[in-house]
Amino acid sequence: MNIDFLEAEVKRAQQGNKDAFIALIKKMEVRMYNIARAIVKKDEDCADAMQETILKAYKSLPTLRNPAYFKTWICRILINECNTLLRKKSKTVSMAEPPEAVFFPKASDEHMDLREAVYRLEEAQRTIVILHYFQDMPIRQIADILELSESTVKTRLYRARIRLTHWLKEPVAREVRL
Amino acid sequence: MKAIDHEDLLLLTEEPVQELPHTIRMRLDETFLMLDDIQPMKAEERRRKRWVRRSLLITLGAAAAGVLLIGSGFVSPVMAQALKQIPFIESVFKQAGDRGLQKASEEGFTTNANQNITHNGVTISLSEVMYDGSRLNLVLNRDKLPVKKTSGSGRDWIRSSTLGLNNIEFYVNGSWVNTGMSLASGGGEAPNAIIVTALNSPNLHIPDEFELKMLVKLDDVPEPFEFKLPVKKVKDGNVVITPAEMKIFDYIHMKVAKLEITPVTTRLDMEITGEKGQNLRDIANAIPEKYKITDFIQIDYDLTDDQGVLQKSIGASGSGEEDHYSYTTSYEPFAAIPKFVTVKPYVYVTKTRQKNYIPELEFTVQVK
């Protein structure tokens, strides 16, 4: 979609044209799904996060200042919703059952381990690793979406790699990060 | 095992799906139907969020002027956190108006609006009003103060010290104005009163005479108190200077947008831009960290007269628009109009409690 056209569509949507808004969402819904799935994994959670994102975006669409940022803005809301959902779930788990020890063995399927370990990173690092490596998103774009500087994004990636190395190098029992 | 590096993580790239699973498709279609029941916000609700620099007037104002200054409910979460951490000094209770307001009162630049409105048994009255072209000040009084909360939190403290005020909306000739607002305690002599300062934000175009409408909203009274009154600028002959000079240092493109000297206030409007075509984020990103706190540019401005006397700040605010940041700082009035003034930008370092001046961005503005 060329940029002028996108902006015109966003402006129409901002003026209350619901169909224009739906058309815009439809153009990026597959992308949204891929991002959501990378963060929350389960389809059921993806659906919740996407639904909440669409409703929130529609409600606050007139507050979007620059129509050119529509996609970035939607992604930002979506990522927030996904992380909120994960936080809620981890709270529910912690109340339902005590945290159990998790073991990171030097298993044969190293990638499997690494992927799982990524999900145990703290949220700020995890989101960036997922977007950059799982979703192949450029650092510039991540910085825009998360409203961070590129150097902050790079620093967090670097720290995440150190943390992952540490975890996978020295398999010890640890508590689940809740 | 070797360290996890970039290459290892690259192997984790997920193959993107090209089509939505059926369950997701169903949920989205259902979501689109739900949009009929949703009322989008009004565009004006967003504008307040742009006032990211409310915190400045908290830190500067509370410490320097000894008055309690509060953004009107549109601080970002980061700023709200910062706000909570500001130590409130005892003098906020003691001190009423700044020197400019004292002078305005002595010299008869104020008017008495003398309006009272009662809702739910609570009466709010509007008494003194002053507008000098650079700021509007007025005094609000509440007959019965709200019940004091005893949690001791900063927010409760503010509430109980500001008459339970939630927000005030300002309308000039019927149009809503995107202005910041600050509040100062009426002091020991008038514990039920507050001094409100408004219409002092950057980039407002307020005529010399106008019809002011104010909606005063309290936390504990659902209906707003609506005041309407004519407002006239106190005196002509304000000195207004708009120098064109731009200074560039460390990617900061700075200029004095306006210096306005009135009998009651000295107001300085500064502007920061970046390279051509840069938006607000590009500008902020390009500027080195030492000028920023949590990604926000935190440059403040001292003003000295031709004798080198530092002028007392009475409040500040800022905003960002498209490709420039605007900052307004108000100072107490000059004893005598100086030949020139010097604008000294600095970054306040909380840890050392020191002002780190930026001499490369210092401006001298000829007044006479």
Side-chain angles (χ1 to χ4, degrees), chain A residues 18 26 29-30 33-34 38 43 47-48 51 54-55 58-59 62-63 65 69 111 115 133-135 144 161 165 168-169, chain B residues 1 3-4 6 9 11-14 16-17 20-21 24-25 27 30-32 34-36 38 40-41 46 279 281 322:
Chain A
K18 190 188 67 173
K26 284 199 167 184
E29 62 191 14
V30 175
Y33 171 67
N34 277 304
D43 269 1
D48 284 346
Q51 180 169 60
I54 293 167
L55 297 177
Y58 185 67
K59 186 154 198 272
T63 70
R65 198 160 148 59
Y69 294 150
H111 296 150
R115 185 179 295 277
Y133 289 110
F134 295 10
Q135 285 292 299
D144 279 346
R161 283 199 295 265
T165 302
L168 296 173
K169 217 176 183 176
Chain B
M1 191 182 144
I4 301 296
H6 183 69
L9 284 157
L11 295 173
L12 299 179
T13 307
E14 291 171 346
V17 301
L20 293 182
I24 303 278
R25 176 75 277 148
R27 274 292 285 285
E30 177 195 309
T31 309
F32 294 146
M34 289 162 76
L35 297 180
D36 285 331
I38 292 184
M41 281 181 199
R46 69 159 188 225
N279 65 23
R281 190 175 313 146
E322 312 273 339

Short mmCIF file of all heavy atoms in Angstrom, two decimals, chain A residues 18 26 29-30 33-34 38 43 47-48 51 54-55 58-59 62-63 65 69 111 115 133-135 144 161 165 168-169, chain B residues 1 3-4 6 9 11-14 16-17 20-21 24-25 27 30-32 34-36 38 40-41 46 279 281 322:
data_model
loop_
_atom_site.label_atom_id
_atom_site.label_comp_id
_atom_site.label_asym_id
_atom_site.label_seq_id
_atom_site.Cartn_x
_atom_site.Cartn_y
_atom_site.Cartn_z
N LYS A 18 -15.92 3.67 9.67
CA LYS A 18 -15.61 2.37 10.23
C LYS A 18 -15.07 1.40 9.17
O LYS A 18 -14.15 0.63 9.42
CB LYS A 18 -16.89 1.78 10.87
CG LYS A 18 -16.66 0.54 11.69
CD LYS A 18 -17.97 -0.08 12.12
CE LYS A 18 -18.69 -0.61 10.90
NZ LYS A 18 -19.88 -1.37 11.16
N LYS A 26 -7.62 -5.18 8.02
CA LYS A 26 -7.57 -6.40 7.20
C LYS A 26 -6.25 -6.51 6.45
O LYS A 26 -5.73 -7.59 6.22
CB LYS A 26 -8.75 -6.46 6.24
CG LYS A 26 -10.03 -6.83 6.96
CD LYS A 26 -11.09 -7.33 6.01
CE LYS A 26 -12.19 -7.99 6.83
NZ LYS A 26 -13.23 -8.60 6.06
N GLU A 29 -3.75 -7.78 9.20
CA GLU A 29 -4.15 -8.75 10.23
C GLU A 29 -3.25 -9.99 10.25
O GLU A 29 -2.99 -10.55 11.32
CB GLU A 29 -5.63 -9.13 10.09
CG GLU A 29 -5.97 -9.79 8.78
CD GLU A 29 -7.48 -9.93 8.55
OE1 GLU A 29 -8.28 -9.29 9.25
OE2 GLU A 29 -7.84 -10.69 7.63
N VAL A 30 -2.75 -10.41 9.10
CA VAL A 30 -1.88 -11.59 9.09
C VAL A 30 -0.57 -11.27 9.81
O VAL A 30 -0.05 -12.05 10.59
CB VAL A 30 -1.63 -12.08 7.65
CG1 VAL A 30 -0.63 -13.22 7.64
CG2 VAL A 30 -2.94 -12.52 7.01
N TYR A 33 -1.19 -11.23 13.43
CA TYR A 33 -1.30 -12.59 13.96
C TYR A 33 0.10 -13.19 14.18
O TYR A 33 0.38 -13.80 15.21
CB TYR A 33 -2.13 -13.46 13.02
CG TYR A 33 -2.10 -14.93 13.39
CD1 TYR A 33 -2.68 -15.38 14.56
CD2 TYR A 33 -1.47 -15.86 12.56
CE1 TYR A 33 -2.64 -16.71 14.92
CE2 TYR A 33 -1.42 -17.20 12.90
CZ TYR A 33 -2.00 -17.62 14.07
OH TYR A 33 -1.96 -18.94 14.42
N ASN A 34 0.97 -13.00 13.20
CA ASN A 34 2.32 -13.54 13.32
C ASN A 34 3.05 -12.96 14.54
O ASN A 34 3.74 -13.69 15.26
CB ASN A 34 3.11 -13.27 12.04
CG ASN A 34 2.82 -14.32 10.97
OD1 ASN A 34 2.97 -15.51 11.19
ND2 ASN A 34 2.33 -13.88 9.82
N ALA A 38 4.00 -15.12 17.96
CA ALA A 38 5.39 -15.22 18.42
C ALA A 38 5.50 -14.88 19.90
O ALA A 38 6.34 -15.42 20.61
CB ALA A 38 6.27 -14.29 17.60
N ASP A 43 -3.14 -19.82 19.93
CA ASP A 43 -4.10 -19.13 19.07
C ASP A 43 -5.19 -18.42 19.87
O ASP A 43 -5.62 -17.32 19.54
CB ASP A 43 -4.74 -20.12 18.10
CG ASP A 43 -3.96 -20.18 16.80
OD1 ASP A 43 -2.93 -19.47 16.70
OD2 ASP A 43 -4.36 -20.93 15.89
N ALA A 47 -6.06 -14.48 19.59
CA ALA A 47 -7.38 -13.94 19.27
C ALA A 47 -7.77 -12.88 20.30
O ALA A 47 -8.26 -11.80 19.94
CB ALA A 47 -8.41 -15.06 19.23
N ASP A 48 -7.52 -13.17 21.57
CA ASP A 48 -7.86 -12.20 22.62
C ASP A 48 -7.08 -10.90 22.44
O ASP A 48 -7.62 -9.81 22.50
CB ASP A 48 -7.54 -12.78 24.01
CG ASP A 48 -8.58 -13.80 24.44
OD1 ASP A 48 -9.65 -13.85 23.81
OD2 ASP A 48 -8.30 -14.55 25.39
N GLN A 51 -8.20 -9.00 19.28
CA GLN A 51 -9.52 -8.39 19.46
C GLN A 51 -9.41 -7.11 20.32
O GLN A 51 -9.92 -6.05 19.96
CB GLN A 51 -10.47 -9.38 20.15
CG GLN A 51 -11.85 -8.79 20.36
CD GLN A 51 -12.86 -9.85 20.79
OE1 GLN A 51 -12.71 -10.49 21.83
NE2 GLN A 51 -13.87 -10.05 19.98
N ILE A 54 -7.80 -4.27 18.37
CA ILE A 54 -8.68 -3.63 17.37
C ILE A 54 -9.69 -2.72 18.06
O ILE A 54 -9.91 -1.58 17.63
CB ILE A 54 -9.37 -4.72 16.52
CG1 ILE A 54 -8.32 -5.45 15.67
CG2 ILE A 54 -10.46 -4.11 15.64
CD1 ILE A 54 -8.82 -6.72 15.02
N LEU A 55 -10.26 -3.18 19.15
CA LEU A 55 -11.25 -2.37 19.84
C LEU A 55 -10.61 -1.09 20.42
O LEU A 55 -11.15 0.00 20.28
CB LEU A 55 -11.92 -3.17 20.97
CG LEU A 55 -12.73 -4.40 20.50
CD1 LEU A 55 -13.29 -5.17 21.70
CD2 LEU A 55 -13.88 -4.00 19.57
N TYR A 58 -9.63 1.34 17.60
CA TYR A 58 -10.79 2.02 17.01
C TYR A 58 -11.24 3.15 17.93
O TYR A 58 -11.54 4.25 17.49
CB TYR A 58 -11.93 1.02 16.79
CG TYR A 58 -13.10 1.63 16.07
CD1 TYR A 58 -12.99 2.04 14.75
CD2 TYR A 58 -14.33 1.79 16.71
CE1 TYR A 58 -14.05 2.61 14.08
CE2 TYR A 58 -15.40 2.35 16.05
CZ TYR A 58 -15.27 2.77 14.73
OH TYR A 58 -16.32 3.34 14.08
N LYS A 59 -11.24 2.85 19.22
CA LYS A 59 -11.71 3.84 20.18
C LYS A 59 -10.79 5.06 20.21
O LYS A 59 -11.24 6.19 20.25
CB LYS A 59 -11.76 3.20 21.57
CG LYS A 59 -12.34 4.08 22.63
CD LYS A 59 -12.94 3.25 23.75
CE LYS A 59 -13.89 4.05 24.58
NZ LYS A 59 -13.43 4.78 25.63
N PRO A 62 -8.91 8.59 16.76
CA PRO A 62 -8.77 10.04 16.54
C PRO A 62 -7.59 10.64 17.28
O PRO A 62 -7.17 11.75 16.98
CB PRO A 62 -10.09 10.60 17.08
CG PRO A 62 -11.04 9.45 17.05
CD PRO A 62 -10.22 8.23 17.33
N THR A 63 -7.05 9.92 18.28
CA THR A 63 -5.91 10.48 19.02
C THR A 63 -4.59 10.22 18.31
O THR A 63 -3.57 10.74 18.73
CB THR A 63 -5.82 9.88 20.44
OG1 THR A 63 -5.41 8.52 20.31
CG2 THR A 63 -7.13 9.96 21.18
N ARG A 65 -1.85 10.94 16.10
CA ARG A 65 -1.51 12.26 15.59
C ARG A 65 -1.05 12.21 14.13
O ARG A 65 -1.51 12.98 13.31
CB ARG A 65 -0.38 12.80 16.45
CG ARG A 65 -0.21 14.23 16.34
CD ARG A 65 0.55 14.76 17.52
NE ARG A 65 1.33 15.89 17.08
CZ ARG A 65 0.81 16.97 16.53
NH1 ARG A 65 -0.48 17.06 16.35
NH2 ARG A 65 1.59 17.95 16.13
N TYR A 69 1.97 6.86 10.98
CA TYR A 69 2.42 5.92 12.00
C TYR A 69 1.37 4.87 12.35
O TYR A 69 1.48 4.19 13.37
CB TYR A 69 2.82 6.66 13.29
CG TYR A 69 4.02 7.56 13.14
CD1 TYR A 69 4.17 8.70 13.90
CD2 TYR A 69 5.03 7.24 12.23
CE1 TYR A 69 5.29 9.53 13.75
CE2 TYR A 69 6.14 8.04 12.09
CZ TYR A 69 6.26 9.19 12.84
OH TYR A 69 7.36 10.00 12.71
N HIS A 111 18.20 -25.85 19.73
CA HIS A 111 17.34 -24.73 19.33
C HIS A 111 16.06 -24.70 20.13
O HIS A 111 15.55 -23.66 20.48
CB HIS A 111 17.01 -24.81 17.83
CG HIS A 111 18.23 -24.66 17.00
ND1 HIS A 111 18.35 -25.26 15.78
CD2 HIS A 111 19.39 -24.01 17.22
CE1 HIS A 111 19.54 -24.98 15.29
NE2 HIS A 111 20.18 -24.22 16.15
N ARG A 115 14.94 -21.50 22.28
CA ARG A 115 13.64 -20.86 22.09
C ARG A 115 12.88 -20.78 23.43
O ARG A 115 12.31 -19.75 23.78
CB ARG A 115 12.82 -21.63 21.04
CG ARG A 115 11.50 -20.95 20.68
CD ARG A 115 10.75 -21.75 19.63
NE ARG A 115 11.44 -21.80 18.36
CZ ARG A 115 11.38 -20.84 17.44
NH1 ARG A 115 10.64 -19.77 17.64
NH2 ARG A 115 12.05 -20.95 16.32
N TYR A 133 14.47 -11.64 16.31
CA TYR A 133 14.94 -12.93 15.81
C TYR A 133 13.80 -13.83 15.33
O TYR A 133 13.88 -14.41 14.26
CB TYR A 133 15.77 -13.63 16.88
CG TYR A 133 17.10 -12.95 17.08
CD1 TYR A 133 17.37 -12.26 18.23
CD2 TYR A 133 18.08 -12.99 16.07
CE1 TYR A 133 18.60 -11.62 18.41
CE2 TYR A 133 19.30 -12.35 16.25
CZ TYR A 133 19.56 -11.67 17.41
OH TYR A 133 20.75 -11.04 17.57
N PHE A 134 12.75 -13.95 16.12
CA PHE A 134 11.67 -14.84 15.68
C PHE A 134 10.92 -14.22 14.49
O PHE A 134 10.50 -14.90 13.58
CB PHE A 134 10.66 -15.09 16.81
CG PHE A 134 11.21 -15.83 18.00
CD1 PHE A 134 12.56 -16.07 18.16
CD2 PHE A 134 10.35 -16.30 18.99
CE1 PHE A 134 13.05 -16.74 19.27
CE2 PHE A 134 10.83 -16.98 20.09
CZ PHE A 134 12.18 -17.19 20.24
N GLN A 135 10.75 -12.91 14.56
CA GLN A 135 9.92 -12.24 13.55
C GLN A 135 10.74 -11.47 12.52
O GLN A 135 10.17 -10.80 11.66
CB GLN A 135 8.95 -11.29 14.25
CG GLN A 135 7.81 -12.00 14.93
CD GLN A 135 6.88 -12.64 13.92
OE1 GLN A 135 6.29 -11.95 13.09
NE2 GLN A 135 6.74 -13.95 13.97
N ASP A 144 11.00 2.03 16.86
CA ASP A 144 9.82 2.86 16.61
C ASP A 144 8.61 2.35 17.38
O ASP A 144 7.89 3.09 18.02
CB ASP A 144 9.49 2.88 15.11
CG ASP A 144 10.37 3.86 14.36
OD1 ASP A 144 11.01 4.68 15.03
OD2 ASP A 144 10.42 3.78 13.12
N ARG A 161 21.39 -11.86 25.12
CA ARG A 161 22.30 -12.93 24.67
C ARG A 161 23.19 -13.39 25.82
O ARG A 161 23.45 -14.57 25.98
CB ARG A 161 23.15 -12.44 23.49
CG ARG A 161 22.36 -12.42 22.18
CD ARG A 161 23.29 -12.39 20.97
NE ARG A 161 24.07 -11.17 20.91
CZ ARG A 161 23.73 -10.10 20.19
NH1 ARG A 161 22.61 -10.10 19.49
NH2 ARG A 161 24.49 -9.04 20.17
N THR A 165 23.16 -17.14 27.27
CA THR A 165 24.40 -17.92 27.35
C THR A 165 24.60 -18.46 28.76
O THR A 165 24.90 -19.63 28.97
CB THR A 165 25.61 -17.02 26.99
OG1 THR A 165 25.40 -16.51 25.69
CG2 THR A 165 26.91 -17.81 27.02
N LEU A 168 22.15 -21.30 29.50
CA LEU A 168 22.32 -22.55 28.76
C LEU A 168 23.70 -23.18 29.02
O LEU A 168 23.91 -24.34 28.74
CB LEU A 168 22.10 -22.32 27.27
CG LEU A 168 20.66 -21.90 26.96
CD1 LEU A 168 20.51 -21.52 25.50
CD2 LEU A 168 19.66 -22.99 27.31
N LYS A 169 24.59 -22.37 29.54
CA LYS A 169 25.94 -22.85 29.80
C LYS A 169 25.98 -23.62 31.13
O LYS A 169 26.66 -24.60 31.27
CB LYS A 169 26.87 -21.64 29.92
CG LYS A 169 28.24 -21.86 29.34
CD LYS A 169 28.95 -20.52 29.46
CE LYS A 169 30.31 -20.57 28.85
NZ LYS A 169 30.91 -19.23 28.91
N MET B 1 29.90 -25.33 26.29
CA MET B 1 29.07 -24.73 25.24
C MET B 1 29.48 -23.28 24.98
O MET B 1 29.80 -22.55 25.91
CB MET B 1 27.62 -24.76 25.73
CG MET B 1 26.63 -24.41 24.67
SD MET B 1 24.98 -24.43 25.40
CE MET B 1 24.28 -23.08 24.51
N ALA B 3 29.22 -19.27 23.70
CA ALA B 3 28.25 -18.22 24.02
C ALA B 3 27.15 -18.16 22.97
O ALA B 3 27.39 -18.45 21.79
CB ALA B 3 28.97 -16.88 24.10
N ILE B 4 25.96 -17.81 23.40
CA ILE B 4 24.85 -17.64 22.45
C ILE B 4 25.12 -16.35 21.68
O ILE B 4 25.26 -15.29 22.27
CB ILE B 4 23.51 -17.48 23.21
CG1 ILE B 4 23.23 -18.70 24.10
CG2 ILE B 4 22.38 -17.23 22.23
CD1 ILE B 4 23.03 -19.98 23.35
N HIS B 6 24.54 -13.95 17.89
CA HIS B 6 23.59 -13.50 16.89
C HIS B 6 23.17 -14.66 15.95
O HIS B 6 21.98 -14.86 15.71
CB HIS B 6 24.30 -12.39 16.12
CG HIS B 6 23.46 -11.74 15.09
ND1 HIS B 6 22.37 -10.95 15.42
CD2 HIS B 6 23.53 -11.76 13.74
CE1 HIS B 6 21.82 -10.51 14.30
NE2 HIS B 6 22.50 -10.98 13.27
N LEU B 9 20.73 -17.20 17.36
CA LEU B 9 19.37 -16.68 17.49
C LEU B 9 18.70 -16.54 16.12
O LEU B 9 17.49 -16.67 15.99
CB LEU B 9 19.39 -15.36 18.24
CG LEU B 9 19.59 -15.53 19.76
CD1 LEU B 9 20.15 -14.28 20.39
CD2 LEU B 9 18.29 -15.93 20.44
N LEU B 11 18.76 -18.55 13.83
CA LEU B 11 18.16 -19.84 13.46
C LEU B 11 16.74 -20.00 13.99
O LEU B 11 16.02 -20.91 13.60
CB LEU B 11 19.04 -20.99 14.00
CG LEU B 11 20.43 -21.08 13.38
CD1 LEU B 11 21.26 -22.12 14.10
CD2 LEU B 11 20.33 -21.42 11.89
N LEU B 12 16.38 -19.11 14.90
CA LEU B 12 15.06 -19.23 15.51
C LEU B 12 13.97 -18.53 14.71
O LEU B 12 12.81 -18.53 15.10
CB LEU B 12 15.08 -18.64 16.92
CG LEU B 12 16.03 -19.31 17.91
CD1 LEU B 12 15.96 -18.59 19.25
CD2 LEU B 12 15.69 -20.77 18.10
N THR B 13 14.34 -17.89 13.61
CA THR B 13 13.35 -17.16 12.82
C THR B 13 12.17 -18.07 12.47
O THR B 13 12.35 -19.19 12.01
CB THR B 13 14.00 -16.64 11.52
OG1 THR B 13 15.15 -15.92 11.87
CG2 THR B 13 13.04 -15.75 10.75
N GLU B 14 10.98 -17.54 12.73
CA GLU B 14 9.78 -18.33 12.46
C GLU B 14 9.29 -18.07 11.05
O GLU B 14 9.33 -16.94 10.57
CB GLU B 14 8.68 -17.95 13.45
CG GLU B 14 9.00 -18.39 14.86
CD GLU B 14 8.01 -17.82 15.89
OE1 GLU B 14 7.25 -16.89 15.55
OE2 GLU B 14 8.03 -18.31 17.02
N PRO B 16 6.68 -17.12 8.69
CA PRO B 16 5.39 -16.46 8.93
C PRO B 16 4.23 -17.20 8.24
O PRO B 16 4.40 -17.73 7.15
CB PRO B 16 5.59 -15.08 8.30
CG PRO B 16 6.73 -15.20 7.38
CD PRO B 16 7.58 -16.33 7.84
N VAL B 17 3.10 -17.26 8.93
CA VAL B 17 1.93 -17.87 8.27
C VAL B 17 1.37 -16.86 7.27
O VAL B 17 1.53 -15.65 7.44
CB VAL B 17 0.84 -18.28 9.28
CG1 VAL B 17 1.37 -19.26 10.30
CG2 VAL B 17 0.24 -17.07 9.95
N LEU B 20 -4.80 -16.50 8.00
CA LEU B 20 -5.25 -16.63 9.38
C LEU B 20 -5.94 -17.97 9.60
O LEU B 20 -6.72 -18.41 8.75
CB LEU B 20 -6.26 -15.52 9.71
CG LEU B 20 -5.75 -14.09 9.76
CD1 LEU B 20 -6.89 -13.16 10.16
CD2 LEU B 20 -4.60 -13.95 10.73
N PRO B 21 -5.67 -18.61 10.74
CA PRO B 21 -6.44 -19.82 11.06
C PRO B 21 -7.93 -19.47 11.19
O PRO B 21 -8.27 -18.32 11.50
CB PRO B 21 -5.88 -20.24 12.42
CG PRO B 21 -4.62 -19.51 12.59
CD PRO B 21 -4.70 -18.27 11.77
N ILE B 24 -9.22 -17.66 14.36
CA ILE B 24 -8.82 -16.25 14.45
C ILE B 24 -9.70 -15.41 13.50
O ILE B 24 -10.20 -14.35 13.86
CB ILE B 24 -7.33 -16.07 14.06
CG1 ILE B 24 -6.43 -16.93 14.96
CG2 ILE B 24 -6.92 -14.62 14.10
CD1 ILE B 24 -6.10 -16.36 16.30
N ARG B 25 -9.88 -15.94 12.30
CA ARG B 25 -10.72 -15.24 11.31
C ARG B 25 -12.12 -14.96 11.89
O ARG B 25 -12.65 -13.85 11.81
CB ARG B 25 -10.83 -16.15 10.06
CG ARG B 25 -11.71 -15.74 8.93
CD ARG B 25 -11.16 -14.62 8.09
NE ARG B 25 -11.44 -13.31 8.67
CZ ARG B 25 -10.68 -12.26 8.57
NH1 ARG B 25 -9.55 -12.32 7.90
NH2 ARG B 25 -11.01 -11.13 9.13
N ARG B 27 -12.98 -14.77 15.07
CA ARG B 27 -12.92 -13.79 16.17
C ARG B 27 -12.79 -12.37 15.63
O ARG B 27 -13.39 -11.43 16.14
CB ARG B 27 -11.74 -14.08 17.09
CG ARG B 27 -12.03 -15.09 18.17
CD ARG B 27 -13.00 -14.57 19.20
NE ARG B 27 -12.43 -13.60 20.13
CZ ARG B 27 -11.62 -13.92 21.12
NH1 ARG B 27 -11.28 -15.17 21.34
NH2 ARG B 27 -11.15 -12.98 21.92
N GLU B 30 -16.03 -11.16 14.21
CA GLU B 30 -16.90 -10.84 15.34
C GLU B 30 -16.49 -9.47 15.92
O GLU B 30 -17.33 -8.63 16.24
CB GLU B 30 -16.70 -11.96 16.37
CG GLU B 30 -17.44 -11.83 17.67
CD GLU B 30 -16.84 -12.83 18.69
OE1 GLU B 30 -16.72 -14.03 18.35
OE2 GLU B 30 -16.50 -12.39 19.80
N THR B 31 -15.18 -9.26 16.00
CA THR B 31 -14.67 -7.99 16.53
C THR B 31 -15.12 -6.81 15.66
O THR B 31 -15.50 -5.76 16.17
CB THR B 31 -13.13 -8.02 16.59
OG1 THR B 31 -12.73 -9.21 17.26
CG2 THR B 31 -12.58 -6.82 17.33
N PHE B 32 -15.06 -7.00 14.34
CA PHE B 32 -15.46 -5.91 13.44
C PHE B 32 -16.92 -5.54 13.67
O PHE B 32 -17.30 -4.36 13.59
CB PHE B 32 -15.23 -6.31 11.97
CG PHE B 32 -13.76 -6.49 11.62
CD1 PHE B 32 -13.35 -7.44 10.69
CD2 PHE B 32 -12.78 -5.69 12.22
CE1 PHE B 32 -12.00 -7.60 10.37
CE2 PHE B 32 -11.44 -5.85 11.92
CZ PHE B 32 -11.04 -6.80 10.99
N MET B 34 -18.40 -5.70 16.48
CA MET B 34 -18.48 -5.00 17.78
C MET B 34 -18.19 -3.50 17.66
O MET B 34 -18.53 -2.72 18.55
CB MET B 34 -17.49 -5.63 18.78
CG MET B 34 -17.89 -7.02 19.24
SD MET B 34 -16.49 -7.90 19.97
CE MET B 34 -16.37 -7.10 21.54
N LEU B 35 -17.53 -3.13 16.57
CA LEU B 35 -17.14 -1.72 16.43
C LEU B 35 -18.34 -0.78 16.40
O LEU B 35 -18.24 0.39 16.75
CB LEU B 35 -16.29 -1.52 15.16
CG LEU B 35 -14.94 -2.26 15.13
CD1 LEU B 35 -14.22 -1.97 13.82
CD2 LEU B 35 -14.06 -1.83 16.30
N ASP B 36 -19.49 -1.32 15.96
CA ASP B 36 -20.69 -0.48 15.91
C ASP B 36 -21.05 0.10 17.27
O ASP B 36 -21.65 1.15 17.36
CB ASP B 36 -21.89 -1.32 15.40
CG ASP B 36 -21.78 -1.54 13.90
OD1 ASP B 36 -21.19 -0.66 13.23
OD2 ASP B 36 -22.25 -2.58 13.41
N ILE B 38 -18.95 0.98 19.57
CA ILE B 38 -17.87 1.75 20.20
C ILE B 38 -17.86 3.18 19.70
O ILE B 38 -17.94 3.43 18.50
CB ILE B 38 -16.51 1.08 19.92
CG1 ILE B 38 -16.47 -0.24 20.68
CG2 ILE B 38 -15.34 1.97 20.35
CD1 ILE B 38 -15.18 -0.95 20.57
N PRO B 40 -15.70 6.28 19.16
CA PRO B 40 -14.31 6.76 19.21
C PRO B 40 -14.19 8.03 20.05
O PRO B 40 -15.13 8.80 20.13
CB PRO B 40 -13.97 7.04 17.75
CG PRO B 40 -14.96 6.27 16.96
CD PRO B 40 -16.21 6.23 17.78
N MET B 41 -13.03 8.18 20.67
CA MET B 41 -12.78 9.38 21.49
C MET B 41 -12.81 10.61 20.62
O MET B 41 -12.61 10.54 19.42
CB MET B 41 -11.35 9.32 22.04
CG MET B 41 -11.14 8.46 23.19
SD MET B 41 -9.38 8.69 23.56
CE MET B 41 -9.09 7.28 24.52
N ARG B 46 -6.87 13.90 23.10
CA ARG B 46 -5.49 13.47 23.00
C ARG B 46 -4.52 14.59 23.30
O ARG B 46 -3.41 14.36 23.68
CB ARG B 46 -5.20 12.98 21.59
CG ARG B 46 -5.22 14.15 20.63
CD ARG B 46 -4.49 13.86 19.38
NE ARG B 46 -4.40 15.08 18.62
CZ ARG B 46 -4.64 15.15 17.35
NH1 ARG B 46 -4.95 14.10 16.68
NH2 ARG B 46 -4.54 16.28 16.72
N ASN B 279 11.54 14.52 12.62
CA ASN B 279 10.38 14.68 13.48
C ASN B 279 10.85 14.71 14.93
O ASN B 279 12.03 14.64 15.23
CB ASN B 279 9.34 13.58 13.21
CG ASN B 279 9.87 12.20 13.55
OD1 ASN B 279 10.78 12.06 14.35
ND2 ASN B 279 9.29 11.19 12.95
N ARG B 281 10.82 12.64 17.36
CA ARG B 281 11.61 11.54 17.89
C ARG B 281 13.03 11.55 17.32
O ARG B 281 14.00 11.31 18.03
CB ARG B 281 10.94 10.20 17.62
CG ARG B 281 11.65 9.10 18.40
CD ARG B 281 11.01 7.77 18.28
NE ARG B 281 9.59 7.85 18.49
CZ ARG B 281 8.73 7.06 17.85
NH1 ARG B 281 9.15 6.19 16.98
NH2 ARG B 281 7.44 7.13 18.10
N GLU B 322 5.01 18.42 15.76
CA GLU B 322 5.55 18.03 14.46
C GLU B 322 7.08 17.98 14.41
O GLU B 322 7.67 16.94 14.50
CB GLU B 322 5.06 18.98 13.35
CG GLU B 322 3.57 19.24 13.36
CD GLU B 322 2.79 18.20 12.58
OE1 GLU B 322 3.39 17.55 11.73
OE2 GLU B 322 1.58 18.04 12.85
#
